[in-house]
Amino acid sequence: MSEPRLIEISPVTRVEGHGKVTIHLDADGNVDEARLHIVEFRGFERFIRGRLMWEVPVIVQRLCGICPVSHHLAAAKAMDQIAGVDRPPPTAEKMRRLMHYGQVMQSHVLHFFHLAAPDLLFGFCAPAEKRNIFEVLKEHPELGRRAIMMRKFGQDIIEATAGKKIHGTAAIPGGINQNLPIEKRDAFLKDLADMEAWALDALALARNYTLEHMETVQNFAAFPSHYMSIVREGDGALDLYDGNLRAINQAGDRLFDQLPCEAYCDVITEDVRPWSYMKFPFFKSLGPDDGWYRVGPLARMNTIDFIDTPLANAARDELIAANGGVAHAILANHWARMIEVLHCVEKIRELLHDPDLQGTELRATGDRRFEGIGVIEAPRGNLIHHYEVDENDQVTYCNLIVSTTHNNEGMNRAVKDVAIKQISGQPEITEGMLNQVEVAIRSHDPCLSCATHALGQMPLKVDVIDASGSVIASRATDS
């Protein structure tokens, strides 16, 4: 019998932000515990206090350079309420929606092709030097070119609607500060046929991988959980920009439905653990042990009733049928992401033909309020921004529950599930085994910077430690 050991993976690679994994092995070499540690702390919820409400949509998006549009719009929706506006003018809402579809599209494409594809195309245990976007471009040049052009299209949509590709300024309390000129609309329309064809091909790649590797997919952190997202008011359709909250249990039964987003505090609270800067949300009615849940593309496919664009809806029906109902396998997230990319292309087409985008009524006003809650479906899942302001328009309270925070418990359970299956009892622990633990994390497309709120650069490190506390294996990066 050997001594207990500790394995550390630090940092976790091909994710946004910094984190590490620790895997504790008992004396028999079996996994006793495995955890995802978030080692960043940014503090946005604290230093946003005292800033003027008009500044908030621009400031809070500095949380992230990958999904700033999501924070920009969630904050703007909250500030709409404080400005006394329940719904901005049609031009403002549709410009925001167009911006959001461009964001979801480019973010999903970035994750699938740049971060996840090396694992899918070359195998989880391929040499580390093989698993990167440059090797994808080398062996699949046309696929790589399409990925770059699809992401560029999404970013160009963002630039045209937000003013800049990163950290735009267009969404303001009560509306938007610009419309979409006809010449820009026409330029986008010229590229839509390619975008739709390429989105269908990307969807086929994700779908075929899932179906061809179904045994692996169903055995890779495919444990049941609850799910939550917003759904469109009234008919329960997919709506990435606005709606009410719906949650389902493991079997697909609804825990709550069409709950106004402003009432999120009635059903969700957050727990803390001493080993992570990221909080652990759960449903109050079920408690911290049983009330954890997941959000994101696969969660949205599970919670919604349908998608209101025909191509994406047919693809969603196939995903649900292939999984026999509620889909629990985290690797199916890739299939779900590509369904949403196709949905975004369909919605972008629909919006570009809407004359409201050239409207001139850009902003509404109303009776001043002192609290606002903005909720949106970010690429990675549900995003909540909650603010209170005083009579001087200064922020006095801020709470952010980002997508990766919602998924915290699910990611930790996925890490442990894969670690037990891949590492327990193995005489030699290889880099490929440890990469499979990272694959489990990457499948959630986490944005650790958004979720933890850290200043500066911090390394991600994974250590394997034996029972005596000695480090026997380690992986690390410097930033």
Side-chain angles (χ1 to χ4, degrees), residues 275-295:
W275 39 269
S276 178
Y277 282 123
M278 186 158 59
K279 292 181 283 189
F280 291 77
F282 61 91
F283 296 141
K284 290 181 178 181
S285 61
L286 300 177
D289 294 332
D290 299 323
W292 63 277
Y293 56 94
R294 288 189 278 191
V295 302

Side-chain angles (χ1 to χ4, degrees), residues 107-340:
S107 179
H108 280 349
V109 167
L110 171 66
H111 173 79
F112 183 70
F113 289 105
H114 292 69
L115 306 182
D119 294 316
L120 306 183
L121 294 174
F122 305 132
F124 298 166
C125 295
E129 59 271 18
K130 183 74 173 177
R131 301 190 310 264
N132 59 72
I133 184 58
F134 300 106
E135 292 296 320
V136 173
L137 289 168
K138 184 186 301 181
E139 295 203 14
H140 305 274
E142 178 59 20
L143 189 68
R145 185 185 75 85
R146 290 183 179 187
I148 291 170
M149 296 307 295
M150 290 175 73
R151 184 160 188 250
K152 178 181 183 299
F153 181 83
Q155 289 178 310
D156 288 344
I157 290 282
I158 294 171
E159 183 177 34
T161 52
K164 295 191 296 180
K165 291 182 179 179
I166 300 176
H167 301 149
T169 59
I172 58 177
I176 202 88
N177 64 14
Q178 63 180 4
N179 61 14
L180 185 71
I182 288 289
E183 58 271 18
K184 289 187 178 180
R185 182 206 66 178
D186 291 345
F188 290 130
L189 286 172
K190 293 178 182 178
D191 293 329
L192 270 176
D194 282 342
M195 293 303 116
E196 183 176 294
W198 296 348
L200 284 166
D201 287 346
L203 170 60
L205 177 63
R207 169 198 175 275
N208 293 343
Y209 175 88
T210 308
L211 295 178
E212 292 168 6
H213 299 82
M214 187 58 79
E215 183 176 352
T216 297
V217 169
Q218 296 292 1
N219 193 47
F220 192 91
F223 47 82
S225 71
H226 309 309
Y227 298 94
M228 187 186 78
S229 77
I230 58 175
V231 298
R232 191 161 68 189
E233 185 174 358
D235 61 8
L238 175 67
D239 194 326
L240 299 174
Y241 177 77
D242 197 28
N244 294 323
L245 293 170
R246 173 184 289 174
I248 62 171
N249 64 15
Q250 304 169 3
D253 300 321
R254 294 175 187 175
L255 299 172
F256 51 83
D257 191 22
Q258 294 292 353
L259 180 76
C261 291
E262 293 77 14
Y264 83 93
C265 284
D266 295 340
V267 295
I268 296 173
T269 190
E270 298 173 277
D271 195 11
V272 295
R273 312 280 169 84
W275 39 269
S276 178
Y277 282 123
M278 186 158 59
K279 292 181 283 189
F280 291 77
F282 61 91
F283 296 141
K284 290 181 178 181
S285 61
L286 300 177
D289 294 332
D290 299 323
W292 63 277
Y293 56 94
R294 288 189 278 191
V295 302
L298 189 62
R300 290 189 283 257
M301 297 300 106
N302 285 329
T303 55
I304 63 173
D305 291 326
F306 69 100
I307 301 176
D308 69 351
T309 56
L311 296 176
N313 189 56
R316 184 255 178 183
D317 288 345
E318 185 178 13
L319 182 151
I320 295 299
N323 286 273
V326 179
H328 296 297
I330 61 171
L331 289 176
N333 258 312
H334 301 308
W335 189 351
R337 283 189 190 94
M338 293 303 100
I339 292 172
E340 291 190 340

Side-chain angles (χ1 to χ4, degrees), residues 369-391:
R369 302 167 187 162
F370 296 94
E371 182 179 25
I373 297 171
V375 181
I376 202 167
E377 285 295 322
R380 292 155 182 84
N382 190 264
L383 171 63
I384 299 172
H385 277 228
H386 185 176
Y387 303 94
E388 294 177 6
V389 302
D390 62 19
E391 63 277 2

